[in-house]
């Protein structure tokens, strides 16, 4: 990750005339997801901290997915500040940046999926998986190709960790 950040920094310094905006965009799109990953990796929350993290991930994924669906189907309900992509068929949730929106959804839904797969079958597992599905739909409707690729890598990683997931992905792929 450090080498990648150094390469991005060098690329911005060499190629960009407006370096301030480029660094701000790189921070939003690269540094924030890296920090999220490192926070979870090094903090290794247990017990109540883990439950709080899951509740936060659930709230983020559910609220942003609902707002994303409202943007798609009933945009007049939302504040105008959240509709800056309105008319361009892009879903951004309440964060007004499609990349940040999809980063939040991928991060939150990955945590929820992991929690769901480590639970016995029941209502909480089903709800977690449904929120993950809603997140995937919103990621698709964000029309962020980089997020699609990132999401694809996450799905590949999850298929490696949970081979039974492959059947579900194939069934969903065939229905689309």
């Amino acid at each position: 990750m450090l080498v990648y950040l150094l390469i991005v920094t060098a690329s911005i310094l060499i190629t960009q005339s407006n370096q301030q905006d480029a660094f701000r965009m790189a921070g939003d799109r690269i540094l924030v997801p890296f920090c999220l990953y490192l926070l979870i990796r090094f903090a290794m929350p247990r017990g109540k901290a883990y439950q709080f993290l899951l509740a936060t991930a659930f709230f983020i994924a559910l609220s942003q997915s609902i707002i994303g669906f409202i943007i798609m189907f009933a945009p007049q309900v939302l504040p105008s500040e959240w509709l800056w992509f309105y008319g361009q068929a892009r879903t951004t949730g309440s964060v007004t940046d499609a990349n940040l929106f999809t980063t939040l959804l991928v991060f939150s839904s990955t945590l929820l999926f992991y929690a769901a797969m480590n639970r016995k079958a029941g209502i909480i597992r089903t709800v977690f998986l449904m929120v993950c599905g809603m997140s995937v739909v919103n990621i698709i409707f964000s029309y962020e190709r980089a997020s699609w690729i990132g999401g694809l890598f996450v799905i590949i990683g999850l298929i490696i960790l949970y081979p039974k997931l492959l059947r579900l992905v194939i069934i969903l792929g065939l229905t689309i």
Side-chain angles (χ1 to χ4, degrees):
M1 288 179 4
L2 181 62
V3 170
Y4 182 69
L5 286 174
L6 291 173
I7 291 171
V8 167
T9 301
S11 174
I12 290 172
L13 290 173
I14 293 169
T15 63
Q16 297 296 317
S17 60
N18 190 352
Q19 294 177 349
Q20 184 177 6
D21 286 342
F23 276 116
R24 185 177 300 122
M25 193 179 313
D28 286 346
R29 295 180 181 181
I30 299 168
L31 191 60
V32 169
F34 281 1
C35 289
L36 286 172
Y37 167 76
L38 292 173
L39 177 70
I40 299 301
R41 180 79 174 133
F42 292 130
M44 290 189 286
R46 304 243 189 274
K48 288 187 178 190
Y50 179 68
Q51 295 303 320
F52 181 74
L53 178 66
L54 280 181
T56 304
F58 179 78
F59 174 76
I60 290 170
L62 182 63
S63 64
Q64 292 303 312
S65 293
I66 289 171
I67 292 168
F69 284 126
I70 291 172
I71 286 175
M72 284 188 277
F73 300 112
Q76 67 276 7
V77 175
L78 297 172
S80 61
E81 294 83 22
W82 292 356
L83 301 174
W84 71 285
F85 268 129
Y86 185 62
Q88 298 179 14
R90 197 170 269 227
T91 302
T92 59
S94 66
V95 294
T96 67
D97 181 14
N99 290 305
L100 181 58
F101 172 70
T102 55
T103 299
L104 284 169
L105 289 180
V106 168
F107 180 77
S108 298
S109 61
T110 302
L111 288 174
L112 290 176
F113 186 85
Y114 175 77
M117 298 314 288
N118 289 311
R119 287 185 177 271
K120 294 179 184 176
I123 189 74
I124 293 176
R125 180 178 182 172
T126 303
V127 169
F128 281 3
L129 292 175
M130 288 175 62
V131 170
C132 290
M134 290 171 52
S135 296
V136 169
V137 170
N138 277 283
I139 290 167
I140 291 169
F141 284 116
S142 72
Y143 295 108
E144 285 296 320
R145 293 178 300 268
S147 297
W148 294 349
I149 293 171
L152 184 64
F153 280 118
V154 168
I155 289 172
I156 290 169
L158 291 174
I159 288 172
I160 291 169
L161 292 174
Y162 304 101
K164 292 180 182 180
L165 178 65
L166 180 60
R167 288 183 286 190
L168 178 64
V169 170
I170 290 172
I171 291 169
L172 289 175
L174 292 176
T175 59
I176 295 175

